[in-house]
Amino acid sequence: VAAAEADSEGLRAWRAFLEAHASVTRTLDRELQEERGLPLTWYDALVQLEEAGGELRMFTLAERLLLSRSATTRFADRLEGAGLIERRRCDGDRRGTEVSLTAAGRAALHDAAPVHLRGIEEHFSRHLDPAERRLLAAALGRVASVERG
Amino acid sequence: VAAAEADSEGLRAWRAFLEAHASVTRTLDRELQEERGLPLTWYDALVQLEEAGGELRMFTLAERLLLSRSATTRFADRLEGAGLIERRRCDGDRRGTEVSLTAAGRAALHDAAPVHLRGIEEHFSRHLDPAERRLLAAALGRVASVERG
DNA sequence: AAAGATTGACTCATCAATCTTC
DNA sequence: GAAGATTGATGAGTCAATCTTT
């Protein structure tokens, strides 16, 4: 995903942004896959569940993972097949499905976390000085929150 | 694609980076599609060709688009089917295939460019002041170039 | 009828194997 | 045999339609 012809500073920032995203996410996915056999998307799902206290509704999981509902259904099929999560009909509202981490899911997450965190440090944070980290967090957080809404 | 549990500044920057990427690229793709009927991936391919002087080998196009060779073959099939590019056997080395922009391809590119550039300005650059733009371009350019290898 | 989740048809990516030319 | 490109099988995402529960 590149950009266009003119070369304003904003456009240069955008292109660098795209290139950095592509190269770093590919590297992180490859490392996690090779060292722990876990795709980055699976890791993300486990993180979301853990941060939510171990349990989420399909609907909410879809939002957090930036996936469509149907993609989340199929994704949950795979994670459930691998024994990392469980599905359960909601008690209050039986239209809904609750997804929760299994013991194996928690174990996979804790096994993978150091590799992933090391990767973020090594392939991303390490290239930024403290001021740049703060600025990126603030500036991109602003971009994300405005555009999400 | 989210990240993990600890909340160092580097990790906060990484999360903001991921969120910003997801929301902005989705918006840009949707706008380009709605207003010009062109997927962002197609636009990118046309830009790469134009910047290369209108002609590239499949091999090189694959590298620039960060796609596998086979994905590039199928992608070129679609673009060729739509009349935006042409394939031609290389003169010097007849193993290779040269891809070039057609007049329709150039027209589609020039038709789409203003929409895309406006989108980058509106959904990305606008949220950054001049100093932030410079810093992002420099810092992320560094990340990308080191990680690209 | 609307909300939550799933399924069907389709698009687009990847790896491994194959074909052609060097 | 190796390089460039393509094809086959498969994985994973989307939208539209469907099923169940409210």
Side-chain angles (χ1 to χ4, degrees), chain B residues 26 57-59 69-70 73-74 77 87 95-97:
Chain B
R26 278 182 189 232
R57 293 182 65 142
M58 290 294 291
F59 183 99
R69 303 251 186 114
S70 49
T73 292
R74 300 186 215 278
D77 290 344
R87 273 186 176 95
R95 291 171 301 181
T97 300

Side-chain angles (χ1 to χ4, degrees), chain B residues 88-142:
Chain B
R88 209 193 64 229
R89 266 250 143 42
C90 290
D91 292 337
D93 181 348
R94 293 218 309 253
R95 291 171 301 181
T97 300
E98 199 90 40
V99 176
S100 60
L101 279 175
T102 61
R106 262 178 230 282
L109 175 58
H110 293 139
D111 179 50
V115 174
H116 185 60
L117 294 175
R118 186 206 66 205
I120 292 172
E121 171 60 30
E122 188 174 333
H123 304 296
F124 182 75
S125 309
R126 192 166 62 78
H127 306 303
L128 308 169
D129 65 37
E132 290 174 330
R133 294 179 195 190
R134 275 194 299 278
L135 190 142
L136 253 77
L140 295 177
R142 207 184 315 133

